[in-house]
Every structure is written in C-alpha cells, then in structure tokens.
C-alpha cells in the first residue's frame, strides 16, 4: 500500500492542482493526505473529481487558512474515527487480522500553540493500541541540524516534541532526498 502525505500550502491555483495530479499519477498512492489545502469542502470535491479517489473526508479551511483532506481508493477499507482542524484519524481494515491506524496530522504552526499539538497527539495515542502510522507536518523539528539559517532553534520546543513522540511510541522513519524541502521553517516527517 502506498501513502502520499503532502503539505500543499494551498490548492487555490491551477498550478498547485496540476502538481497534485502529477504526483498522484507518478506515485499512484492508495491513500492521499493533504494539509493546508486552504479549500472548502465544495472546492475539495471539485479537486477530487479530477483524481482517481472516490472516497474523501475533507476538513474545511477557516478564512483561507488550514484545511485537511484524506482521499482513498474504494478498495481500501478505511474507517475515519475522529477529525479536527489538525488531524484525521482512521483505521485501515483490509486485513481484518492485522488492522492498523493512520493519522494525518497538522501541528499548530504558531509557537505559542504547539502545546495543543502535543496534547492532541498524546490523546490520539490513548485511543488504540494497534500499529500506528502518523503522516504529518508537526511544524516542529527534532534536532537543530534540521534547520537552516542564522538563528538557532531554542532547545525547549524540540525537547517537548521529542518527549511527546517518546510518550506516544512514535519513531521518525527518516527520509530520502534533499533534507530542506520546505519554506519559512515549516517541514514534515513521517512517524510510526
């Protein structure tokens, strides 16, 4: 099974939609999680119509900020459990003897609100004890070497993030390719 998670930073222009269509054709994911769609549910339905996914849960944007969407192929037995402006949590039941959990997560970008991200993640952790994949943009880094720029990242937020991942039993899967793929200090990783 292939999963694609993308912080698209808005699907309000045709170029972004074209990039999304190209990614879906090239990677052929069974499940697609989108963050920062900046689209309403109606607008996401229009985008969905041009993609091969018949199933979707969209969390609308608020004043053109945020917005999440989880899209999946019909043959995937996916059951959404909960969702907020910052997450979509689902069970994958294709193998009934080995169900697993997928959470699409978008952390609060505002430094003063990050504690809400960690509280939500800890709460989600308590809901099930099956294998868990968290596709995300936590809007936080684990280590200072994950940041470019002159000003160093304060240690306390990174330590709180690491403590939350440890408490939730999540492990960074790492990445392949160029390390710095984001703008303005926002990036994402996958954790299981």
């Amino acid at each position: 099974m292939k999963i694609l998670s993308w912080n698209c930073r808005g699907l309000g222009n045709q170029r972004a939609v074209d990039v999304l269509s190209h990614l879906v054709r090239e990677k052929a994911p069974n499940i697609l999680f989108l963050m920062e769609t900046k689209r309403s549910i109606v607008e996401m339905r229009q985008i969905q119509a041009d993609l091969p996914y018949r199933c979707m849960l969209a969390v609308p944007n608020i004043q053109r900020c945020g917005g999440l969407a989880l899209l999946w192929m019909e043959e995937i037995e996916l059951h959404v459990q909960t969702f907020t402006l910052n997450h979509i949590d689902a069970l994958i039941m294709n193998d009934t003897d080995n169900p697993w959990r997928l959470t699409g997560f978008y952390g609060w970008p505002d430094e003063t609100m990050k504690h809400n991200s960690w509280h939500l993640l800890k709460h989600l952790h308590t809901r099930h004890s099956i294998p868990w994949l968290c596709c995300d943009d936590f809007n936080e880094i684990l280590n200072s070497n994950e940041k470019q720029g002159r000003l160093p990242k304060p240690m306390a937020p990174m330590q709180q993030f690491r403590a939350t991942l440890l408490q939730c039993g999540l492990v960074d899967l790492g990445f392949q390719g160029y390390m710095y793929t984001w703008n303005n200090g926002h990036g994402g990783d996958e954790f299981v």
Side-chain angles (χ1 to χ4, degrees):
M1 178 174 305
K2 288 185 182 180
I3 301 168
L4 177 65
S5 174
W6 185 37
N7 184 334
C8 53
R9 294 187 180 89
L11 292 173
N13 64 60
Q14 191 57 47
R15 183 169 180 255
V17 175
D18 291 346
V19 168
L20 174 61
S21 294
H22 174 77
L23 278 171
V24 167
R25 277 192 314 276
E26 182 180 298
K27 304 297 182 186
N30 305 89
I31 300 172
L32 175 65
F33 176 62
L34 301 171
M35 298 159 276
E36 286 193 85
T37 63
K38 300 181 182 181
R39 300 286 93 196
S40 69
I41 293 173
V42 169
E43 291 166 324
M44 281 308 303
R45 290 271 178 230
Q46 292 168 343
I47 292 168
Q48 177 192 18
D50 292 332
L51 298 172
Y53 305 99
R54 296 299 140 238
C55 305
M56 179 179 77
L57 176 94
V59 179
N61 66 307
I62 295 179
Q63 298 176 346
R64 292 293 178 214
C65 293
L68 305 175
L70 184 66
L71 298 95
W72 64 97
M73 299 292 194
E74 269 182 308
E75 64 269 12
I76 302 298
E77 193 172 336
L78 185 148
H79 303 274
V80 173
Q81 302 297 294
T82 62
F83 63 91
T84 66
L85 296 174
N86 296 85
H87 88 285
I88 300 174
D89 189 41
L91 296 179
I92 312 297
M93 307 291 289
N94 282 45
D95 180 353
T96 54
D97 292 333
N98 296 302
W100 57 281
R101 182 175 176 202
L102 173 67
T103 302
F105 192 91
Y106 182 69
W108 276 263
D110 182 348
E111 203 66 41
T112 63
M113 300 294 286
K114 290 198 187 288
H115 66 280
N116 291 329
S117 295
W118 314 148
H119 179 74
L120 175 58
L121 199 58
K122 290 173 189 175
H123 170 74
L124 290 169
H125 168 66
T126 65
R127 294 184 47 82
H128 295 282
S129 60
I130 58 177
W132 186 21
L133 174 65
C134 192
C135 298
D136 64 87
D137 183 345
F138 284 118
N139 281 308
E140 187 55 80
I141 59 175
L142 289 169
N143 300 296
S144 57
N145 66 349
E146 296 178 23
K147 178 189 181 300
Q148 278 185 324
R150 294 183 312 192
L151 298 175
K153 173 77 176 173
M155 289 300 292
M158 291 184 289
Q159 289 171 333
Q160 292 168 355
F161 182 36
R162 286 193 298 264
T164 299
L165 294 179
L166 183 63
Q167 182 176 341
C168 293
L170 294 170
V171 177
D172 185 354
L173 291 177
F175 67 95
Q176 289 182 332
Y178 185 61
M179 184 169 190
Y180 301 106
T181 59
W182 65 90
N183 296 318
N184 301 324
H186 297 110
D189 297 300
E190 289 72 42
F191 294 84
V192 291

